[in-house]
Amino acid sequence: MSVLHSAPRFTLIDGLKGSVSKVLGDHLVEAHEEHGELLFTVHRASIEDALRILRDDFEYQQLMEIAGVDYPSRAERFEVVYMLLSVTRNSRIMVKCTASEDTPVPTVTTLWPNAGWLEREVFDMYGVLFDGNTDLRRILTDYGFEGHPFRKDFPLTGYVELRYSEDQKRVVYEPVKLAQDLRQFDFMSPWEGADYVLPGDEKADMPPIDDPKVTESPKQTGAGAKADDKAAEKVSDAAPAEKDSDAEAPAPEPTEDQPARAKRKGKTTDTAEATEPKKGDAE
């Protein structure tokens, strides 16, 4: 049964995995298919040479995106993923390499000019350095921002906040005034059983109330003989609707007098003659 999907369909070229792997040779670490696309892992030092081969020999003309991934438990915690598109062959592939905080990745601005902006984003969000990028500045965060927000160990709220001061006419740092409870976030899902007590869980251990609170006397509720006598009184006592009578009630007298109209002279058939001009009148 075929599955229809709104995403555009790209060609998975037969034999492409083998032919690319053969040409890349020693540059290649691993090649496999994932989510209907080919994914090639290459050595970090060979990333520029590998992408040049894919661009020139396999017609992957466009660099669509450079993305970063953070795996804090790995020795080289970062992955830099390059997404390529072949316009002539209607095909997409992904190429990635690994890096750490102090191992720069060779820049690919020599192959695609737009890589300068994309490498700046990965540097800004993850802190990955790109060797050869002559303009490696932050691009998404604010002036003087410290840290890299997409790292898994980055605090959720930060320790200082940045704002522009109208009084000092410059950007100033101030301590964050939000609650700092989330700083010790340990990535453990509470649904899988956390080792600590979540806020509000302490209520689950409270025993049920044995002695419910009740009123001690009728005075506290407003009840009593006086309230019963008041409730027994009929508000509509002696109203006309409550009087029993078998006689038919006379028709009510008219509330206003209307003078009788004079009878109309003639008939409705005379209306046409009344609208016609009389003989002798000037036309």
Side-chain angles (χ1 to χ4, degrees):
M1 178 179 176
S2 60
V3 179
L4 298 179
H5 199 279
S6 58
R9 300 181 64 87
F10 294 96
T11 304
L12 187 60
I13 303 173
D14 294 335
L16 181 62
K17 175 182 175 182
S19 58
V20 171
S21 301
K22 182 178 180 180
V23 174
L24 291 181
D26 295 337
H27 302 314
L28 185 66
V29 176
E30 181 188 6
H32 67 278
E33 183 178 340
E34 187 172 323
H35 305 298
E37 296 180 354
L38 290 178
L39 176 61
F40 298 93
T41 303
V42 301
H43 294 287
R44 179 177 58 258
S46 303
I47 187 64
E48 182 182 4
D49 296 332
L51 293 180
R52 180 180 284 107
I53 293 173
L54 292 171
R55 185 194 66 176
D56 298 342
D57 297 347
F58 292 92
E59 300 179 359
Y60 285 92
Q61 303 95 342
Q62 294 189 5
L63 173 64
M64 303 303 297
E65 183 62 90
I66 301 179
V69 189
D70 183 18
Y71 298 96
S73 59
R74 297 182 181 179
E76 293 188 343
R77 60 184 295 181
F78 302 115
E79 284 187 355
V80 182
V81 185
Y82 301 81
M83 304 176 189
L84 307 181
L85 170 64
S86 174
V87 180
T88 55
R89 308 177 74 177
N90 189 32
S91 175
R92 288 180 182 266
I93 60 173
M94 293 184 292
V95 183
K96 69 177 182 179
C97 64
T98 60
S100 62
E101 299 179 23
D102 54 355
T103 53
V105 179
T107 183
V108 295
T109 54
T110 55
L111 305 177
W112 294 283
N114 68 316
W117 291 75
L118 302 177
E119 290 175 354
R120 287 176 61 183
E121 291 182 1
V122 177
F123 164 72
D124 195 0
M125 296 292 103
Y126 294 93
V128 178
L129 301 175
F130 291 91
D131 186 20
N133 190 319
T134 58
D135 189 21
L136 197 62
R137 297 174 296 149
R138 292 185 179 270
I139 191 173
L140 297 176
T141 55
D142 210 336
Y143 303 103
F145 189 89
E146 297 180 2
H148 305 281
F150 280 6
R151 288 188 179 184
K152 296 293 179 62
D153 53 3
F154 186 79
L156 298 183
T157 58
Y159 293 95
V160 294
E161 59 184 357
L162 207 62
R163 69 176 182 87
Y164 180 79
S165 174
E166 288 289 347
D167 299 333
Q168 303 182 29
K169 301 299 181 183
R170 65 180 182 88
V171 176
V172 297
Y173 284 91
E174 292 179 344
V176 173
K177 300 177 182 179
L178 300 176
Q180 305 299 305
D181 297 340
L182 296 177
R183 293 193 186 284
Q184 286 73 35
F185 187 75
D186 58 358
F187 306 103
M188 182 180 292
S189 173
W191 292 275
E192 297 175 357
D195 298 333
Y196 49 86
V197 179
L198 294 174
D201 285 356
E202 67 278 1
K203 300 178 182 179
D205 298 332
M206 296 176 61
I209 299 175
D210 297 330
D211 299 327
K213 185 178 180 180
V214 296
T215 55
E216 298 178 357
S217 64
K219 295 180 179 180
Q220 296 179 350
T221 62
K226 184 177 180 181
D228 296 341
D229 295 340
K230 188 67 175 177
E233 295 180 0
K234 292 185 177 181
V235 179
S236 61
D237 191 16
E242 296 184 357
K243 294 180 179 180
D244 296 332
S245 176
D246 295 335
E248 295 183 0
E253 297 293 335
T255 58
E256 61 181 13
D257 295 334
Q258 184 176 0
R261 291 184 179 180
K263 292 184 179 181
R264 180 173 178 173
K265 297 180 180 181
K267 299 180 180 179
T268 56
T269 54
D270 301 336
T271 304
E273 298 180 359
T275 58
E276 294 179 359
K278 295 181 180 180
K279 295 181 179 180
D281 293 347
E283 295 182 0

